[in-house]
């Protein structure tokens, strides 16, 4: 088979054993004449649970030319305790561009053409290390991409520091077997060859404007059997699709031939010949490659022509090229002397931004489409940095020129254009399945979206067809306007998404991060989306629930806890406007930048808990205010180190709780009775306040999910503010908080606070 999957998933001493086995296999392969092995590796990456394309870890490998075998060695390790759960890692492979994956099963935008990715699953259960290998024979040279991720993420929102820390690390290695002794086939020149036990490798160069390639075996003689026991494997393997051609000459009619329409242009085509007579037999034959040229008719560009009106230009660059009668297809390539096989329209490539390209016709706004010859446009996406976006193609036919019986058929192909409109309409070239489009009098527009197009030259070919009456199309001409773009994200991910550029070393690719329940490749799947009413209700819940802090603010002012009241007011203000800015939909209001509001909200929440517990301890005023300030500074520092680290906030709060418990214990021993002494205080204030705080902490740490966040977090606001109002200690019942004992003629007053035993001059 041309594509093998060896899932050696097992616990073992590590990937080194698998790597040594592969190296031993490469050494044995190197014993065959002309084969060498090479090893490529990349640094491991920590995997993430899948929520959007940025969750997948992407690796890019460069496969050298004349490679006959790839072997990926996949190693997955787990770092963490016994609380880590089992996981299944999914690895995707693709040639030429990053794989288009859809683990969530979401819908793609309309007019989007997507091929399912080739993937391998590697389970990781009891063992801390698992490995697997994937073999690909006769791979296509160039970029190969590997993407790995964990299963879709759960909706539960886990706090950092409370949940067990589990790290799943993935590392791919690539072993390459490459042939260095290869025979060159010249057009129409027989190449004598003798097959032994090991395969032989040949290649032929296919220049531009090749219409057909005919491979033929002649004068075949076998020492071990009758006929011609030879198997030819033509073309490279590409994933996820594979159009590699295999020709077995044992039962084929003589001579043995393989006709390839529209082979890939401007590249070497690899041919592998294998003997079927066994290890001791030999087969001799002559291999012949015949090329049929295509006579292109180039459209002249008037602004660039200064000296000669008969000079034609290259279709994509606008540079002078040879006339159709002098197209070079090698020394002996046959040039088709029939009328022109295509009309070449020059295209200008305009790079507008990162992964952003605009293709437009030179010296014209539309393509002239007729019945006789296809009209072709070449889109150069071969820079190596164009495969990380989405290719969008839009066609619009002239309304007045379209008749009821006419149809315009278009094909979008990579490597070579589709030219066989008269014989077939499946847009299939020698090694590529194209994307068909059609225009008619009832549908004058056609759109096509190709996510992550392969790195190659892409071709758009159009031709006019009359299915019912071909004579009606003989004189018909239709002008078609084309809109051709390469964009990072389609429609910039829409109103409910954000287009983000991702980087893997020097390679850039784009992905959409969706919000408000929208999902999909371009955030167009609204199956779980929130309505505008739901978004507004969520915003009101999260913001108006902070008004509950008016209760502790009022209690603090009545009991003359002015510092505590200012902290609660700070928390209420920034929590309200942070959640107003944190909304994913249309109901958004940001008075400051998002990061500042988030930091102030987290700081206010931590400081509110800190001052409430210290106020319950009933410390001396000076000590209490010093601890207020020091604790707030420590919380601010810890939030700067790790804003979402739960222990950075929980540590100071536990320290305050220890202080409170120590002071209460001291008062219990000093007074020889429980503190606080009043049962009404325990029944109506402390126990309800502690219960509300406990329920709030339980909801905050274990019950919040992405779906119920708006409700559970609003309840957290209410419980936090309500518990603070109940837990604040009462004022001193014996004296007024501030009384003045004596007045002086100079208007100064010496005021005494009996509760604190402090004196101050006001």
């Amino acid at each position: 088979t041309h594509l093998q999957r060896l899932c050696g998933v097992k616990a073992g001493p590590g990937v080194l054993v698998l790597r040594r086995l592969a190296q031993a296999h490469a050494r044995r392969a190197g014993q065959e004449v002309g084969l060498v092995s090479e090893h490529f590796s990349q640094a491991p990456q920590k995997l993430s649970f899948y929520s959007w394309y940025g969750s997948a870890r992407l690796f890019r490998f460069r496969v050298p030319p004349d490679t006959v075998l790839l072997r990926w060695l996949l190693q997955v390790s787990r770092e963490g305790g016994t609380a880590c759960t089992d996981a299944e890692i999914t690895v995707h492979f693709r040639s030429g561009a990053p794989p288009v994956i859809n683990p969530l099963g979401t819908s793609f935008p309309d007019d989007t053409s997507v091929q399912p990715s080739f993937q391998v699953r590697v389970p990781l259960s009891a063992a801390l290390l698992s490995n697997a290998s994937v073999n690909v024979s006769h791979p296509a040279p160039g970029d190969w991409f590997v993407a790995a991720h964990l299963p879709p993420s759960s909706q539960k929102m886990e706090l950092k520091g409370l949940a067990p820390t589990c790290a799943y690390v993935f590392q791919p290695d690539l072993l390459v077997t490459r042939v260095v002794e290869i025979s060159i086939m010249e057009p129409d020149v027989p190449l004598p060859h003798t097959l032994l036990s090991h395969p032989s490798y040949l290649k032929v160069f296919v220049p531009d404007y090749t219409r057909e390639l005919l491979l033929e075996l002649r004068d075949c003689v076998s020492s071990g059997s009758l006929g011609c026991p030879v198997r030819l494997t033509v073309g490279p393997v590409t994933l996820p699709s594979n159009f590699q051609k295999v020709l077995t000459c044992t039962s084929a009619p003589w001579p043995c031939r393989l006709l390839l329409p529209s082979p890939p242009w401007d590249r070497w085509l690899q041919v592998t010949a294998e003997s079927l007579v066994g290890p001791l037999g030999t087969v001799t034959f002559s291999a012949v490659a015949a090329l049929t040229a295509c006579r292109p008719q180039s459209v002249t560009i008037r602004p660039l022509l200064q000296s000669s009106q008969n000079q034609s230009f290259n279709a994509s660059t606008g540079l002078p090229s040879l006339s159709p009668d002098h197209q070079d297809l090698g020394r002996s390539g046959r040039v088709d002397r029939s009328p022109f096989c295509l009309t070449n329209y020059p295209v200008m490539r305009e790079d507008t931004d990162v992964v952003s390209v605009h293709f437009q016709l030179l010296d014209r706004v539309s393509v002239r489409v007729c019945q006789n010859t296809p009209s072709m446009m070449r889109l150069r996406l071969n820079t190596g940095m164009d495969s990380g976006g989405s290719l969008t193609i839009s066609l619009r036919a002239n309304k007045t020129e379209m008749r009821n019986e006419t149809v315009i058929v278009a094909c979008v192909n990579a490597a070579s254009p589709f030219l066989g409109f008269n014989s077939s309409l499946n847009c299939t070239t020698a090694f590529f399945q194209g994307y068909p489009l059609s225009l008619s009098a009832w549908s004058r527009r056609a759109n096509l979206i190709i996510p992550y197009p392969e790195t190659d030259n892409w071709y758009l070919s159009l031709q006019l067809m009359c299915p019912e009456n071909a004579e009606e199309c003989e004189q018909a001409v239709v002008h078609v306007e084309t809109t051709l773009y390469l964009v990072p994200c389609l429609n910039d991910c829409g109103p409910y998404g954000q287009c983000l550029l991702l980087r893997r070393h020097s390679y850039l690719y784009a992905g959409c991060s969706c919000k408000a329940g929208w999902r999909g490749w371009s955030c167009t799947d609204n199956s779980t989306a929130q309505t505008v009413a739901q978004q507004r209700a969520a915003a009101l819940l999260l913001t108006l629930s902070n008004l509950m802090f008016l209760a502790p603010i009022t209690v603090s002012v009545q009991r003359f806890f002015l510092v505590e009241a200012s902290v609660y007011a700070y928390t209420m203000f920034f929590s309200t406007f942070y959640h107003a800015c944190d909304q994913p939909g249309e109901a958004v209001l940001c008075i400051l930048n998002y990061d500042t509001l988030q930091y102030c909200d987290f700081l206010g929440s931590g400081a509110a808990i800190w001052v409430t517990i210290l106020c319950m301890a009933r410390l001396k005023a000076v000590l209490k205010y010093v601890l207020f300030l020091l604790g707030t500074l420590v919380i601010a520092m810890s939030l700067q180190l790790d804003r979402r680290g739960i222990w950075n906030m929980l540590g100071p709060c536990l320290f305050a709780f220890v202080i409170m418990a120590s002071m209460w214990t001291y008062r219990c021993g000093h007074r020889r009775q429980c503190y606080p002494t009043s049962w009404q205080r325990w029944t109506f204030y402390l126990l309800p306040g502690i219960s509300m705080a406990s329920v709030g902490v339980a909801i905050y740490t274990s019950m919040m999910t992405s779906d119920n966040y708006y409700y559970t977090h609003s309840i957290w606001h209410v419980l936090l503010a309500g518990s603070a109002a109940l837990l604040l200690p009462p004022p001193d019942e014996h004296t007024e908080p501030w009384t003045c004992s004596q007045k002086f003629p100079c208007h100064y007053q010496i005021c005494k606070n009996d509760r604190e035993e402090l004196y101050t001059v006001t």
Side-chain angles (χ1 to χ4, degrees), residues 160-180:
K160 185 178 179 180
L162 293 182
T165 303
C166 298
Y168 301 89
V169 181
F170 175 77
Q171 179 180 9
D173 289 345
L174 178 61
L175 299 175
V176 172
T177 302
R178 187 165 57 89
V179 59
V180 294

Side-chain angles (χ1 to χ4, degrees), residues 732-746:
D732 197 329
E733 299 178 355
H734 302 290
T735 59
E736 294 293 332
W738 296 94
T739 57
C740 298
S741 59
Q742 184 179 357
K743 293 185 178 181
F744 292 90
C746 58

Side-chain angles (χ1 to χ4, degrees), residues 670-690:
H670 182 72
R671 301 179 181 183
R672 299 186 182 279
Q673 59 180 344
C674 183
Y675 182 84
T677 57
S678 172
W679 66 269
Q680 293 92 344
R681 177 70 184 165
W682 281 98
T683 303
F684 299 109
Y685 295 97
L686 291 181
L687 291 180
I690 294 174

Side-chain angles (χ1 to χ4, degrees), residues 399-438:
K399 181 178 180 180
T400 60
E401 298 175 344
M402 289 294 294
R403 302 177 182 178
N404 294 336
E405 63 276 3
T406 58
V407 176
I408 295 178
V409 181
C411 288
V412 181
N413 293 76
S416 61
F418 178 76
L419 303 176
F421 287 99
N422 295 327
S423 59
S424 173
L425 296 178
N426 58 7
C427 295
T428 302
T429 57
F431 303 105
F432 190 85
Q433 173 59 55
Y435 304 93
L437 295 171
S438 63

Side-chain angles (χ1 to χ4, degrees), residues 537-571:
L540 291 176
L541 278 175
L542 288 171
T543 54
L544 297 182
S545 61
N546 288 285
L547 295 178
M548 187 65 184
F549 278 96
L550 292 175
I553 292 174
T554 303
V555 173
S556 300
V557 172
Q558 290 178 348
R559 300 176 184 180
F560 293 92
F561 298 140
L562 302 183
V563 175
E564 291 84 341
S566 62
V567 172
Y568 297 143
Y570 177 92
T571 303

Side-chain angles (χ1 to χ4, degrees), residues 240-464:
S241 58
N242 178 29
F243 291 87
Q244 190 179 49
K245 300 298 188 296
V246 178
L247 176 63
T248 303
C249 295
T250 303
S251 58
W254 192 258
C256 190
R257 295 176 178 177
L258 177 63
L259 181 63
L260 299 175
S262 299
W265 289 359
D266 193 26
R267 69 190 60 189
W268 290 94
L269 185 62
Q270 188 181 89
V271 180
T272 303
E274 299 175 86
S275 174
L276 302 178
V277 298
L280 301 179
T282 60
V283 181
T284 59
F285 60 88
S286 294
V288 182
L291 302 174
T292 301
C294 172
R295 296 185 63 211
Q297 180 183 11
S298 296
V299 177
T300 57
I301 309 171
R302 292 188 181 90
L304 298 181
L305 292 177
Q306 300 295 336
S307 58
S308 175
Q309 296 295 327
N310 297 324
Q311 192 177 23
S312 63
F313 282 74
N314 182 276
S316 298
T317 62
L319 297 177
S321 62
L322 297 176
S323 63
D325 294 336
H326 294 85
Q327 294 296 326
D328 184 12
L329 288 181
R331 294 190 307 178
S332 304
R334 294 194 301 271
V335 178
D336 189 356
R337 298 298 177 179
S338 61
F340 299 114
C341 68
L342 61 87
T343 302
N344 208 351
Y345 283 85
V347 175
M348 181 183 69
R349 171 185 167 124
E350 179 186 3
D351 293 272
T352 57
D353 205 341
V354 180
V355 202
S356 299
V357 181
H358 178 208
F359 296 97
Q360 58 183 350
L361 293 169
L362 289 177
D363 191 31
R364 65 195 67 247
V365 295
S366 60
V367 177
R368 184 176 182 271
V369 183
C370 58
Q371 182 191 19
N372 298 329
T373 58
S375 300
M376 187 199 75
M377 302 170 60
R378 178 184 296 187
L379 314 178
R380 295 189 179 273
L381 296 173
N382 55 356
T383 64
M385 300 299 294
D386 302 324
S387 57
S390 295
L391 177 62
T392 63
I393 298 176
S394 179
L395 306 178
R396 186 171 69 90
N398 192 316
K399 181 178 180 180
T400 60
E401 298 175 344
M402 289 294 294
R403 302 177 182 178
N404 294 336
E405 63 276 3
T406 58
V407 176
I408 295 178
V409 181
C411 288
V412 181
N413 293 76
S416 61
F418 178 76
L419 303 176
F421 287 99
N422 295 327
S423 59
S424 173
L425 296 178
N426 58 7
C427 295
T428 302
T429 57
F431 303 105
F432 190 85
Q433 173 59 55
Y435 304 93
L437 295 171
S438 63
L439 302 173
S440 64
W442 298 274
S443 178
R444 296 184 300 106
R445 292 179 180 270
N447 300 307
L448 176 64
I449 303 170
I450 305 176
Y452 294 162
E454 290 92 335
T455 298
D456 212 325
N457 288 326
W458 284 75
Y459 299 88
L460 171 62
S461 52
L462 308 94
Q463 188 165 341
L464 188 64

Side-chain angles (χ1 to χ4, degrees), residues 84 100 137 215 220 248 307 364 402 492 509 672:
C84 296
V100 180
S137 60
L215 296 176
C220 185
T248 303
S307 58
R364 65 195 67 247
M402 289 294 294
D492 203 21
Y509 59 105
R672 299 186 182 279

